[in-house]
Amino acid sequence: MNFTQFHNGNNMPSVGLGVFRVENNDTAKDAVKHAIQSGYRSIDAAFIYGNETKVGEGIAEGIKAANISRDDLFITSKLWLDDYGKNNVKEAYEKSLNLLGLDYLDLYLMHWPGTDADLMLNTWEGLEALYNQQLVKNIGVSNFNIDHLDILLNKATVKPVLNQVEFHPYLTQTELRNYLNKHDIKMESWSPLMNAEILQDEVVNNIATEINKSPAQVIIRWNIDHDVITIPKSVTPSRIEENYDVFNFSLNEEQMQQLDALNQNKRIGPNPAEFNG
């Protein structure tokens, strides 16, 4: 297993399981449990996904089945826009903890910057309070552009450890990655496989054939080799295992360049500059 170290000295697994668009039923529970049994130690949840209850059950069953402790896992959730505002953060955090059946989170993120800079800053103060009271191990942001980060870093007393954004070979976010590197904030990619769209790409498939790996493994390894944490989503046991079997190879410079050259600045999600829930 690979770890990435944050600026505060804490570590996060480089690959985790995403659960976006997974129903709040045994499919979610079984996927999380199987991931933990297969070696995953990072699970990425969010209140707005509406499945924290079953994800939590999967965490509990996975801990038991893998014979590990809660402290061996790294669990993320996210604050939704409806709960923004400094005075709402703690209650929303506790709501997610209750749904997940946990005592603490390893990482709590602002899910989107929103379109109100003052509200964004006010909300971040609420996350800082959670962190300063040692109620959460790490705090970060999601879907923040450079403009949002400039505003935040100008006022923040606790710097985010991470920015979770859309990132794949069709959206390489080079400027944002360079900015995050400069400020020692890690990047994490959501939906790295583009809902399987990128797996049809000819270049991706040619590289997969060259190195005898699957297209998904190529993309996940491309993330790792760019020092980007990633959380591919799957509910299929064989794919969950395949997506994690990426630590015994790396891509060479030419292959990385071929994948980088696929950039089209193409998003499958909303534009963070405009999205407000």
Side-chain angles (χ1 to χ4, degrees):
M1 189 196 319
N2 270 29
F3 285 91
T4 298
Q5 188 173 65
F6 297 143
H7 62 71
N8 64 6
N10 293 337
N11 294 307
M12 179 179 183
S14 300
V15 177
L17 181 76
V19 296
F20 180 45
R21 292 190 182 139
V22 181
E23 291 292 319
N24 189 40
N25 56 27
D26 284 351
T27 301
K29 182 188 77 173
D30 293 345
V32 171
K33 179 183 177 182
H34 187 77
I36 293 169
Q37 285 181 288
S38 302
Y40 286 73
R41 294 295 177 261
S42 173
I43 307 295
D44 180 87
F47 177 74
I48 196 64
Y49 299 168
N51 57 13
E52 285 183 313
T53 304
K54 286 297 182 179
V55 168
E57 289 179 17
I59 290 168
E61 291 191 11
I63 286 171
K64 196 172 176 183
N67 194 25
I68 59 172
S69 73
R70 159 68 183 97
D71 291 345
D72 293 320
L73 295 180
F74 191 102
I75 310 299
T76 302
S77 193
K78 309 179 195 80
L79 177 74
W80 188 243
L81 291 145
D82 292 349
D83 292 314
Y84 278 20
K86 178 170 63 174
N87 296 331
N88 300 324
V89 172
K90 190 173 181 183
E91 185 181 344
Y93 178 70
E94 289 173 348
K95 194 162 46 177
S96 279
L97 287 183
N98 289 334
L99 290 169
L100 289 161
L102 299 174
D103 297 325
Y104 69 92
L105 289 178
D106 299 276
L107 178 61
Y108 199 43
L109 304 177
M110 283 183 66
H111 206 147
W112 290 87
T115 54
D116 181 336
D118 290 335
L119 180 59
M120 176 185 82
L121 290 170
N122 183 257
T123 302
W124 183 251
E125 284 183 39
L127 271 82
E128 290 180 330
L130 287 181
Y131 180 74
N132 289 328
Q133 292 163 31
Q134 300 184 334
L135 298 173
V136 64
K137 303 282 187 186
N138 305 279
I139 53 173
V141 296
S142 184
N143 300 301
F144 275 47
N145 291 337
I146 290 171
D147 291 350
H148 303 123
L149 290 162
D150 275 341
I151 293 167
L152 185 68
L153 294 178
N154 192 41
K155 296 285 187 184
T157 59
V158 179
K159 186 167 68 170
V161 295
L162 173 150
N163 184 19
Q164 184 186 117
V165 297
E166 184 177 348
F167 173 73
H168 43 71
Y170 290 173
L171 182 69
T172 54
Q173 301 256 40
T174 305
E175 192 181 355
L176 178 59
R177 269 190 294 132
N178 290 338
Y179 179 98
L180 293 171
N181 283 337
K182 179 182 159 190
H183 290 278
D184 199 14
I185 299 169
K186 294 300 178 184
M187 183 188 273
E188 180 179 25
S189 65
W190 58 257
S191 218
L193 307 180
M194 290 185 74
N195 302 326
E197 181 183 338
I198 194 71
L199 305 183
Q200 314 307 315
D201 186 273
E202 186 180 355
V203 171
V204 175
N205 279 271
N206 287 343
I207 293 171
T209 302
E210 270 176 38
I211 63 175
N212 198 27
K213 296 291 178 183
S214 72
Q217 287 171 323
V218 168
I219 298 301
I220 295 164
R221 188 68 222 190
W222 175 80
N223 277 260
I224 294 168
D225 289 348
H226 269 310
D227 194 29
V228 174
I229 300 162
T230 189
I231 43 168
K233 168 221 157 184
S234 181
V235 297
T236 308
S238 61
R239 288 193 186 136
I240 289 172
E241 293 167 26
E242 176 189 300
N243 290 348
Y244 195 69
D245 185 19
V246 290
F247 300 114
N248 57 356
F249 73 100
S250 58
L251 300 173
N252 64 36
E253 198 174 326
E254 185 187 352
Q255 290 161 343
M256 291 292 287
Q257 287 172 355
Q258 284 180 298
L259 293 168
D260 290 348
L262 296 175
N263 182 53
Q264 305 168 13
N265 295 323
K266 177 181 179 178
R267 293 185 180 278
I268 57 168
N271 182 345
E274 302 163 358
F275 185 75
N276 202 33

